[in-house]
Every structure is written in C-alpha cells, then in structure tokens.
Amino acid sequence: MSVFDEKAATWDDDPTKVERARVVAQAIREIVPASPTARLLEYGAGTGLLSEELVGHVGSITLVDPSTGMREVMAAKVESGRLPGDSRIWDLDLAVDPVPDDRFDLVTSLMTLHHVSDVPRVLTAFSQMLADGGRLALVDLVEEDGSFHDDGFAGHNGFDTAKLAQDVRESGLSDVEVREDLHHVETEGRNYPLFLLTATKRD
C-alpha cells in the first residue's frame, strides 16, 4: 500500500487542499473558455478535487491516478453524483505505460509533476494526447531547497519554471506561459509558491 493509498480516505478533510483546487480551477476557467464538449484529462487526480471544481465548465472527464485508494474515492464520488456519472477513472502511469489513443481538449495536473520520474516523457505524452487547439495546464511547486518533503523523497524539489517551459516546448506545445504566484502551500511555517504553466497544441 502506498502512502497515497493510506491518505486517500481523509484527503478531502484538509481544507487547504480543497481551497487549492478551487483556486487552480478558477485560474483555469479564466484561461480556458467553457465548453460542454471539452474533454478533460486530470493526471494524478488524487480524489478528483480539481475536476469537481471544473464540472460544468468542461464536458467529459477522465481521471488518472496510480493509487488504488485514490481511485476508490473517485469512484465513490461518481456513484454519489459529486463527479459526473460518465466520468472515466484510469490506472495509468505515463512515465512507463503506453500513451492511450484518446484525445483531450484540456489536460491538467495539480501537484503531481514533482512526483514524476521521467518528466520529459510525461510531457511528450501530454502533447500526444492533446487534440489540435487543446490546452495544457500544469500546477506545481516552484523550485525549492528540498525542505518541502521529508528526507528520502525521490522526486523533484519543485521546478525551474524556465527549464520546464523549454521542456514543454520541446514536447511539441507552443504559446507557453508561466505564472509563478498562483497560490502557495504552507507547511511548518514556510510558504512554498505554486506556478501555473499553460501551453497549446497546434498541429
């Protein structure tokens, strides 16, 4: 059982996570026009908090997370109506799994990328899965000193956003823009800023 499996049942009890999803969703709504036909993919969706906030702004929703516990919570939300009944829930790790043939108009990821082992590969997968004119919206930690996670964390200590923006361009996306002051995470008395990176697929 992963640490995320253990935390899944009480994940939404943290008001800071709920507020973070609300802030991110509002920023996305300001950038991406509402469309009842827009196909949304949320990668590393956790309990689906961000997608919940985007219900009504997009059409179909596909939620991706490798954690069994998180997928169980998402499935319960679909069953209860908190997420649309036609929502799809996938067990998919784009760092190692083949890229699905499905195409999406909006791909989002919230606080997931710094856990990804092979970021360029996942960015390329995002690019491949976006339809022409589709938008990418990534939110994660601005590069930090390693104090955000406990010792032994094997992921990334946030991101140099200029370097990440270049990686996104090299994945095949354009119109890359970064906002480094979108929100912040407070832990143990320290604030860690979050960035919003957006880009567009142009075939």
Side-chain angles (χ1 to χ4, degrees):
M1 178 179 289
S2 75
V3 64
F4 289 107
D5 290 334
E6 296 171 358
K7 293 180 177 180
T10 58
W11 189 263
D12 292 6
D13 294 344
D14 183 349
T16 63
K17 292 183 174 67
V18 176
E19 173 66 7
R20 183 168 66 209
R22 187 196 66 77
V23 169
V24 171
Q26 179 60 32
I28 291 173
R29 286 195 295 267
E30 291 172 358
I31 295 169
V32 179
S35 170
T37 62
R39 299 158 294 179
L40 167 66
L41 172 75
E42 184 183 357
Y43 188 74
T47 63
L49 282 172
L50 178 56
S51 287
E52 279 188 78
E53 294 288 341
L54 291 171
V55 170
H57 191 80
V58 298
S60 64
I61 294 175
T62 300
L63 304 121
V64 176
D65 204 283
S67 163
T68 300
M70 293 294 188
R71 295 196 306 274
E72 289 174 349
V73 174
M74 288 189 284
K77 288 183 177 182
V78 173
E79 182 69 22
S80 69
R82 288 179 62 180
L83 285 165
D86 61 352
S87 299
R88 299 184 298 177
I89 299 172
W90 289 355
D91 178 6
L92 175 69
D93 182 352
L94 291 172
V96 295
D97 295 331
V99 179
D101 292 332
D102 301 62
R103 294 295 175 263
F104 299 89
D105 304 295
L106 174 61
V107 172
T108 65
S109 176
L110 170 56
M111 291 294 283
T112 296
L113 205 62
H114 69 275
H115 291 279
V116 168
S117 58
D118 189 341
V119 172
R121 175 172 173 153
V122 170
L123 293 176
T124 298
F126 288 163
S127 178
Q128 292 173 3
M129 295 175 75
L130 280 168
D132 185 28
R135 302 295 298 276
L136 176 69
L138 302 177
V139 175
D140 216 302
L141 292 160
V142 176
E143 191 171 35
E144 45 92 15
D145 60 6
S147 59
F148 183 79
H149 286 280
D150 296 332
D151 291 341
F153 177 65
H156 308 275
N157 297 326
F159 293 93
D160 176 332
T161 56
K163 171 64 169 58
L164 183 63
Q166 183 58 35
D167 289 343
V168 170
R169 292 186 189 95
E170 290 176 1
S171 78
L173 301 180
S174 58
D175 304 329
V176 181
E177 296 184 5
V178 178
R179 174 183 169 187
E180 290 197 351
D181 62 347
L182 174 69
H183 196 53
H184 68 273
V185 177
E186 182 176 343
T187 180
E188 297 185 358
R190 290 190 57 180
N191 283 334
Y192 297 87
L194 303 183
F195 66 83
L196 167 63
L197 182 150
T198 57
T200 304
K201 177 68 172 291
R202 301 196 186 281
D203 288 338

